[in-house]
Amino acid sequence: MKERNTDYFAALYEVAKAINGSLDTKKVLEKIVQSVVAAVGVKAGSIRLLDARKKQLVLGAASGLSQGYIHKGPILLDESGLDRKAIKGKIIWIEDVQADKDFQYGEKAKAEGIKSVLVVPLLLEKKAIGVLRVYSDRVRQFNEDELKFLKAAANLSAIALDNARMHEVLQTRCDLLVENKYRIDDN
């Protein structure tokens, strides 16, 4: 048990390092998902971001999933009960997605060999901006240490996304200021 805790700290360090090492959102999210999958010892993981206008979750990064599963179709909040609950801020665990009516793509999960799924909201100031999912190829429960680790990784992901968004806004404003300065100087 103690060795597993050490793995979680090392994985959190890797997540924090990725967040501080790049403003490339895609690379940061990919590193987070890879670290989470390795630390928890699951088949796969993904981060999906909320598109509130379309009421769907858009893929940000995935690890351990086939291209067929990744492109299975949109994750619509109206059709995915577990994601609706997660977006409200709850951690959701489904023991067997192949038999659960709240899982939008049960048949696709069966073909992918997915059994249990845990969904953790990416919270930014108590507002969910997406979800972190981990997929197990067997019926699996997650212990308290794993839940704490996944919650911390999800919250770090939300911070990384917010940092990237703020950087993009600042870069746009800086570009506009430079453009306006040249217009003023030309007159």
Side-chain angles (χ1 to χ4, degrees):
M1 187 63 156
K2 190 171 185 171
E3 184 178 331
R4 197 66 174 165
N5 287 339
T6 302
D7 291 343
Y8 294 142
F9 289 127
L12 273 178
Y13 172 72
E14 290 300 318
V15 168
K17 200 165 75 174
I19 289 169
N20 292 318
S22 175
L23 287 172
D24 182 334
T25 308
K26 185 151 183 69
K27 285 183 182 176
V28 170
L29 294 180
E30 285 174 359
K31 183 67 180 170
I32 291 169
V33 171
Q34 291 166 359
S35 296
V36 164
V37 168
V40 180
V42 289
K43 171 185 174 53
S46 68
I47 291 178
R48 291 192 172 266
L49 307 176
L50 178 63
D51 181 341
R53 192 171 45 86
K54 293 181 181 178
K55 295 184 178 178
Q56 67 180 9
L57 293 169
V58 178
L59 185 67
S63 177
L65 296 172
S66 70
Q67 287 298 311
Y69 190 78
I70 288 171
H71 299 293
K72 63 189 174 300
I75 304 296
L76 304 171
L77 292 180
D78 290 340
E79 296 180 25
S80 178
L82 77 129
D83 289 307
R84 252 192 334 269
K85 293 173 189 169
I87 289 298
K88 290 180 180 172
K90 294 181 179 176
I91 295 176
I92 307 298
W93 171 69
I94 296 182
E95 181 177 2
D96 183 358
V97 294
Q98 297 175 16
D100 192 295
K101 63 179 175 37
D102 271 351
F103 198 77
Q104 188 179 355
Y105 294 102
E107 286 300 316
K108 301 276 185 179
K110 185 176 183 178
E112 187 75 4
I114 296 170
K115 206 65 164 167
S116 292
V117 172
L118 185 79
V119 184
V120 182
L122 274 60
L123 295 175
L124 192 62
E125 297 177 9
K126 297 182 182 179
K127 182 180 176 191
I129 61 170
V131 296
L132 168 66
R133 287 184 181 201
V134 291
Y135 306 88
S136 175
D137 56 1
R138 58 184 169 80
V139 171
R140 177 184 174 170
Q141 293 185 346
F142 296 87
N143 66 39
E144 198 60 38
D145 288 339
E146 290 170 324
L147 292 176
K148 286 178 185 173
F149 166 73
L150 291 168
K151 192 174 173 181
N155 289 336
L156 287 172
S157 301
I159 291 168
L161 290 166
D162 194 46
N163 286 344
R165 184 190 57 79
M166 286 191 298
H167 178 265
E168 194 175 297
V169 168
L170 286 173
Q171 186 65 48
T172 301
R173 288 181 182 170
C174 183
D175 292 345
L176 287 172
L177 283 172
V178 169
E179 186 177 310
N180 286 334
K181 180 189 181 312
Y182 286 124
R183 283 186 191 160
I184 291 170
D185 290 344
D186 289 343
N187 290 326

